[in-house]
Amino acid sequence: MTAVSTRQPVAILGGTGALGRGLAARLAAAGHRVTLGSRDADRATASAAELAESLAPAVDVERLLFGAANAEAAATHDVVILATPWDPSGDSIRELADPLAETVVISAINPLGFDVTGPYGLDVVEGSAAEQVAASLPNSRVAAAFHHLSAPSLLKLSHDLSGEDVLVCADDDRARVTALNLAAAVTGTPGIDVGPLRQARQLEPFTAVLIAVNKRYRTRSGLALRHVDRNRASLPEVALS
Amino acid sequence: MTAVSTRQPVAILGGTGALGRGLAARLAAAGHRVTLGSRDADRATASAAELAESLAPAVDVERLLFGAANAEAAATHDVVILATPWDPSGDSIRELADPLAETVVISAINPLGFDVTGPYGLDVVEGSAAEQVAASLPNSRVAAAFHHLSAPSLLKLSHDLSGEDVLVCADDDRARVTALNLAAAVTGTPGIDVGPLRQARQLEPFTAVLIAVNKRYRTRSGLALRHVDRNRASLPEVALS
């Protein structure tokens, strides 16, 4: 793997939600310039300011957290994380196809349902939300990651996440390597490459398992893989700007 | 949770396969009397003798490992683990409905496919193999567990499995508690209750993620959940014979 910049600016669409703000907090704390995207630009800006204030004085992220409308955030970044709610129609993603062309797009979308028996994975026509994203954004470079991190744990910067693994899948090597590196910025540990994008069919609904465990054991559980030497993967050589 | 016998005799159907033998080795090493079931009784007996010999002299399991035809093993045990190959028709399970009536049946079945892109979870009409088992055995007590343990690691008794988690799901409380306790015998750590049987839809295909990681990182990966106090679950009171 070639040396890469670990300080790429990152936009997080759906960034005013809990997972989006949590990822933003960790990325900003690691020195990334982060733009929270929302349908409403004013709301995004307010959310970014609020988040910066909540993290101070532990971390000075005031000049690293911004807000913008989703389309503007998408158009002005080379790396975009989707932390948007699951949209079965795909319309909200498809309308960003132009601004997201050539962009690395990392889906953290979890299509989950809840009923009297608890959380469960929704049926997705395309197989997974990440595959729906890839179908909706034919000119983007799509990966999936960050499904299993607890939003409250992300937001509490003192909470050590280095024992939790970010599982990454992608069909595009540049997207894969970008997500693996961003995982290191978020948790302190590089992500684990679990293969092609269709593995998102396993990653996304596994979040239902963690949520069920959280309720039964009154905790915020996380996922880890054992016996994986993160430097041993045969990763592609990808030059990242 | 009430005190339970940890030395219940256990039958493992499909016990001559790699996962079956691995579970048998660990359960016998923990003092359980284990019967390997196979379609062919002679093959089961030979496999049990071979396994006992391969584990000696580290563990004296000679009087704890036996072989029998699947139907006989099913009829003579209160606890049965299914380590059989995935059978989309369900016929091989359904024909054991009578001998398995009232029995705790723990499905470790992983319906996986492999193609040029790697391993993937197969589509299952009933949602998961465990749900197919429950539908095929209406008078049995069904749980799902043991999907994620590596067979070679199980067979190598010196390999410490205590850092890996066995995730258990069930709609029947007696089956759930039995599986959680057997997990402790197998790995040294009690299993984690992840809720209703339909969670098997997540547990089974997640094995495809581990297999893909094994290839990429040249390892035998395992699964662990972080931040779960295994004594904190609100488990039902179940008196086990």
Side-chain angles (χ1 to χ4, degrees):
Chain A
M1 189 170 10
T2 51
V4 296
S5 161
T6 55
R7 305 296 185 91
Q8 288 170 298
V10 177
I12 304 180
L13 309 194
T16 61
L19 178 62
R21 281 184 291 122
L23 291 171
R26 296 281 176 161
L27 288 170
H32 287 267
R33 190 180 185 287
V34 180
T35 301
L36 301 188
S38 170
R39 285 189 172 271
D40 176 343
D42 289 344
R43 191 171 155 224
T45 305
S47 190
E50 213 172 279
L51 180 58
E53 197 178 312
S54 77
L55 298 172
V59 196
D60 178 17
V61 295
E62 203 169 333
R63 293 181 315 157
L64 294 171
L65 282 168
F66 302 85
N70 278 334
E72 190 200 332
T76 53
H77 286 80
D78 295 328
V79 179
V80 169
I81 297 174
L82 298 181
T84 43
W86 164 236
D87 171 6
S89 78
D91 289 345
S92 57
I93 306 294
R94 211 172 294 114
E95 70 190 20
L96 297 171
D98 282 344
L100 288 176
E102 296 307 314
T103 304
V104 166
V105 176
I106 303 170
S107 169
I109 300 169
N110 280 322
L112 298 180
F114 296 84
D115 64 15
V116 66
T117 315
Y120 62 96
L122 293 172
D123 284 332
V124 178
V125 175
E126 295 84 354
S128 63
E131 289 166 287
Q132 186 217 48
V133 168
S136 304
L137 305 175
N139 298 317
S140 303
R141 300 168 173 277
V142 178
F146 301 120
H147 309 89
H148 304 136
L149 299 171
S150 144
S153 297
L154 283 165
L155 280 164
K156 193 176 173 187
L157 293 183
S158 61
H159 180 91
D160 180 12
L161 288 170
S162 63
E164 300 187 24
D165 281 312
V166 173
L167 307 187
V168 172
C169 63
D171 294 333
D172 179 278
D173 284 336
R174 189 191 185 95
R176 182 196 323 281
V177 173
T178 301
L180 291 169
N181 285 317
L182 285 181
V186 169
T187 66
T189 305
I192 295 179
D193 173 20
V194 308
L197 195 66
R198 73 173 178 194
Q199 293 275 32
R201 297 175 194 188
Q202 274 64 256
L203 303 188
E204 293 170 3
F206 197 83
T207 307
V209 172
L210 297 176
I211 295 172
V213 166
N214 290 352
K215 183 162 182 198
R216 276 178 175 64
Y217 293 83
R218 298 180 192 87
T219 187
R220 291 169 189 156
S221 60
L223 176 70
L225 297 194
R226 304 300 309 272
H227 312 300
V228 180
D229 175 353
R230 286 150 192 80
N231 298 315
R232 225 186 154 182
S234 34
L235 288 174
E237 295 275 331
V238 179
L240 299 179
S241 59
Chain B
M1 188 168 17
T2 52
V4 295
S5 161
T6 56
R7 305 294 185 94
Q8 288 170 297
V10 177
I12 304 180
L13 308 194
T16 60
L19 178 62
R21 282 183 292 123
L23 290 171
R26 295 282 175 160
L27 289 170
H32 287 268
R33 192 181 184 285
V34 180
T35 300
L36 301 188
S38 171
R39 288 194 169 266
D40 177 343
D42 289 343
R43 192 173 155 223
T45 304
S47 188
E50 213 172 279
L51 180 59
E53 197 177 311
S54 76
L55 298 172
V59 196
D60 178 17
V61 295
E62 204 170 329
R63 293 181 314 158
L64 294 171
L65 282 168
F66 302 86
N70 278 333
E72 189 200 332
T76 53
H77 286 80
D78 295 329
V79 179
V80 169
I81 297 174
L82 298 181
T84 44
W86 164 237
D87 171 7
S89 77
D91 290 344
S92 57
I93 306 293
R94 210 172 294 113
E95 69 190 21
L96 296 171
D98 282 343
L100 288 175
E102 295 307 315
T103 304
V104 167
V105 176
I106 303 170
S107 170
I109 300 169
N110 280 322
L112 298 180
F114 297 83
D115 65 15
V116 66
T117 316
Y120 61 97
L122 294 171
D123 284 332
V124 178
V125 176
E126 295 84 355
S128 63
E131 290 166 287
Q132 185 218 49
V133 167
S136 304
L137 304 175
N139 297 315
S140 303
R141 300 168 174 277
V142 178
F146 301 120
H147 309 89
H148 304 136
L149 299 171
S150 145
S153 298
L154 283 165
L155 280 164
K156 192 176 173 184
L157 293 183
S158 61
H159 181 91
D160 180 13
L161 288 170
S162 63
E164 300 187 24
D165 280 312
V166 172
L167 307 187
V168 172
C169 63
D171 293 333
D172 179 278
D173 284 336
R174 189 190 185 95
R176 182 196 324 281
V177 173
T178 301
L180 291 168
N181 286 317
L182 285 182
V186 168
T187 67
T189 305
I192 295 179
D193 173 20
V194 308
L197 195 66
R198 73 173 178 194
Q199 292 275 32
R201 297 175 194 188
Q202 274 64 257
L203 303 188
E204 294 169 3
F206 197 83
T207 307
V209 172
L210 297 176
I211 295 172
V213 167
N214 290 353
K215 184 165 183 196
R216 276 178 175 64
Y217 292 83
R218 299 183 192 86
T219 187
R220 292 170 189 157
S221 61
L223 176 69
L225 297 195
R226 303 300 308 272
H227 312 301
V228 179
D229 175 352
R230 285 151 193 77
N231 298 315
R232 225 185 154 183
S234 34
L235 287 175
E237 294 275 330
V238 179
L240 300 179
S241 59

